[in-house]
Amino acid sequence: MTETMTSTAGAPQEILLLKLGEVVLKGLNRSAFEDKLVSNVSRRIRPFGRFQVYTRQSTIYVEPLGECDVESAWQACTQVFGVAAVARAVPCGKTVPEIVETAKHYLADAFASAKSFKVESKRADKRYPMTSIQLSQAVGGELAEAFPDVAVDVHHPELTVFVEIREKAAYVHGPAAEGAGGLPVGMGGKAVSLLSGGIDSPVASWMMARRGVWLEMVHFESPPYTSQQAQDKVLELARLLVPWCGQLTVHIVPFTEIQEEIRRKCPEEYFTLIMRRFMMRLSQAVAKKVQAKALVTGESLGQVASQTMMALGVTESVAEMPVLRPLIGMDKVEIIRLSRRIGTYDTSILPYEDCCTVFTPRHPCTRPNLEDVEAAEAAMDVEALMAKSLAGVKRVRIKSNGAMTVRGTETEA
């Protein structure tokens, strides 16, 4: 590994320290989680230059090799699941004078705007002769002399100077940015998420990706009842999820004929229930094709008529694999708050309706009986409708740079 690095101008080179979260709780398979996380970080920051990425002592080091866009790499790392915090740091020698000199220069702007500070030290290298408290006192004393207008406040400082003593060097940094948390994408298996144009399904997808699930998306289109703008809106939602989830494939399933057949042959109060049952079947067919092991929906208990406990049981009864509902116990305010945090809310509220709002019954059944719904559904040729719909599936792959591939044709997001 590299020793204390310098840029081409001779100044210390800024690096990133990524703190592991839940991964550190893993047992004998912890190394597999760390390897996957290193791989995910490396892939995510590749557009911003050449970096050396490796893990030591529950920390991932991201070291620039030459000229790199460290700012963009830092931002990207805050969106990698499995990372609890991201610090921008400068390595230096382990002596107190070297640490003080590095802090004086690297954190000069922070000291200029702060009224109080403290030093917080951590010794990952237990061979270091000073204790953490002794090191903090020594460095803090000299920084207090260097910045006499900034008071020492060990209880409520405006600025905390962090010093980490590790194997290769000491690392100086200010407060770390919060990471995405969770588990590395790819460690939780693969699932297919039903992605509509609403607020809920992007949040549900994000939550499952945060548990390490690699996702593919299914979206249902119903032209002419739904517009091209509605489809573009969904693809934009998927694009907004890519920085969190990695590249995504959206399977766009034609749904018009099925919905028209439901309207012609089924009782109105069952329209939404039977529609959801078809969505489950079709999504499961896609999942089997891509070797996914579960479905993900944005359903929340009691939010709408089709999400009562009995209604969920009726729609889920056609599924042969687990149906994951990460929002099931959340209320709308909580979901909206999370939607804003992950950056999908403003797109979700654009006024382009999706197929879930087509042919909405005036008085939907909230306490359905499975046998009654199955009897109503028997008026249709379910297998033939599904086969025709699946034959018309369009696949859109959205890459990490925003580019889309539609059936092998490159377009821009």
Side-chain angles (χ1 to χ4, degrees):
M1 301 305 171
T2 57
E3 298 290 345
T4 302
M5 297 166 295
T6 57
S7 67
T8 53
Q13 171 66 64
E14 189 176 45
I15 73 168
L16 304 179
L17 298 177
L18 280 52
K19 309 297 184 174
L20 305 189
E22 191 176 342
V23 170
V24 301
L25 303 177
K26 299 301 175 182
L28 296 177
N29 61 345
R30 173 174 166 175
S31 61
F33 282 82
E34 291 182 346
D35 290 346
K36 173 59 72 173
L37 186 50
V38 167
S39 174
N40 290 351
V41 169
S42 299
R43 184 177 63 252
R44 200 70 61 85
I45 64 176
R46 192 172 296 140
F48 311 119
R50 291 179 61 241
F51 296 85
Q52 183 180 29
V53 183
Y54 60 95
T55 181
R56 288 282 181 85
Q57 298 173 309
S58 301
T59 299
I60 291 178
Y61 296 72
V62 178
E63 299 181 352
L65 300 175
E67 292 297 321
C68 297
D69 184 352
V70 177
E71 176 72 29
S72 295
W74 169 81
Q75 178 62 46
C77 287
T78 64
Q79 294 180 287
V80 177
F81 291 123
V83 175
V86 183
R88 300 173 68 160
V90 168
C92 63
K94 297 183 182 182
T95 67
V96 170
E98 289 174 295
I99 293 169
V100 170
E101 196 65 20
T102 300
K104 284 166 55 178
H105 289 90
Y106 182 54
L107 300 175
D109 291 342
F111 271 103
S113 60
K115 294 181 180 179
S116 60
F117 84 100
K118 76 171 182 178
V119 176
E120 189 170 306
S121 301
K122 176 182 177 182
R123 294 183 311 142
D125 179 4
K126 300 304 181 184
R127 299 169 301 176
Y128 193 69
M130 301 176 72
T131 67
S132 297
I133 293 176
Q134 289 171 337
L135 180 60
S136 295
Q137 291 173 339
V139 173
E142 294 201 28
L143 288 176
E145 292 183 10
F147 299 99
D149 295 332
V150 186
V152 175
D153 183 348
V154 297
H155 298 295
H156 305 288
E158 289 188 14
L159 170 65
T160 299
V161 177
F162 293 90
V163 178
E164 300 188 31
I165 304 296
R166 294 182 172 272
E167 291 180 351
K168 296 291 183 180
Y171 297 85
V172 176
H173 62 87
E178 183 180 4
L183 296 172
V185 170
M187 294 304 295
K190 179 188 281 190
V192 163
S193 184
L194 284 67
L195 183 65
S196 72
I199 295 172
D200 301 340
S201 59
V203 175
S205 301
W206 182 89
M207 290 180 70
M208 292 314 305
R210 193 169 185 262
R211 298 313 303 156
V213 176
W214 181 266
L215 295 174
E216 297 209 15
M217 305 299 196
V218 167
H219 174 67
F220 298 91
E221 63 170 357
S222 294
Y225 306 106
T226 59
S227 65
Q228 181 60 45
Q229 289 98 324
Q231 184 182 129
D232 292 343
K233 171 185 173 181
V234 169
L235 293 177
E236 174 64 12
L237 287 171
R239 190 185 68 79
L240 292 170
L241 289 171
V242 162
W244 303 97
C245 305
Q247 70 176 21
L248 292 171
T249 297
V250 183
H251 303 258
I252 301 176
V253 181
F255 206 59
T256 305
E257 186 172 343
I258 290 174
Q259 288 193 288
E260 290 178 337
E261 189 76 349
I262 292 172
R263 182 177 62 173
R264 282 194 298 266
K265 295 185 176 180
C266 299
E268 183 182 353
E269 65 265 29
Y270 294 150
F271 279 1
T272 302
L273 289 169
I274 293 175
M275 178 194 73
R276 295 291 296 175
R277 283 164 64 86
F278 269 99
M279 287 181 170
M280 289 288 185
R281 292 186 182 102
L282 292 165
S283 298
Q284 182 170 263
V286 172
K288 289 180 177 179
K289 186 171 183 178
V290 301
Q291 299 183 319
K293 304 302 181 185
L295 304 178
V296 178
T297 78
E299 293 162 314
S300 173
L301 187 63
Q303 184 169 256
V304 295
S306 63
Q307 295 176 19
T308 65
M309 195 173 295
M310 294 179 70
L312 292 175
V314 166
T315 57
E316 188 180 86
S317 67
V318 299
E320 301 168 5
M321 58 179 60
V323 179
L324 307 177
R325 298 182 173 97
L327 309 185
I328 196 68
M330 298 176 67
D331 64 32
K332 201 66 177 185
V333 173
E334 293 172 310
I335 297 169
I336 289 173
R337 186 183 302 121
L338 192 46
S339 177
R340 291 183 186 277
R341 175 189 166 191
I342 67 177
T344 56
Y345 178 78
D346 289 341
T347 299
S348 290
I349 62 174
L350 292 175
Y352 304 121
E353 295 184 336
D354 57 39
C355 68
C356 293
T357 58
V358 177
F359 310 141
T360 302
R362 290 167 294 179
H363 303 290
C365 181
T366 59
R367 297 176 62 83
N369 180 278
L370 177 58
E371 289 74 19
D372 293 339
V373 175
E374 290 176 335
E377 200 175 65
M380 298 181 296
D381 188 340
V382 172
E383 295 302 322
L385 287 167
M386 282 188 55
K388 188 171 182 181
S389 182
L390 289 169
V393 172
K394 177 173 63 177
R395 297 168 185 83
V396 181
R397 176 168 292 180
I398 306 176
K399 299 180 180 178
S400 57
N401 63 359
M404 293 187 184
T405 303
V406 184
R407 287 183 174 175
T409 302
E410 286 287 336
T411 62
E412 291 299 318

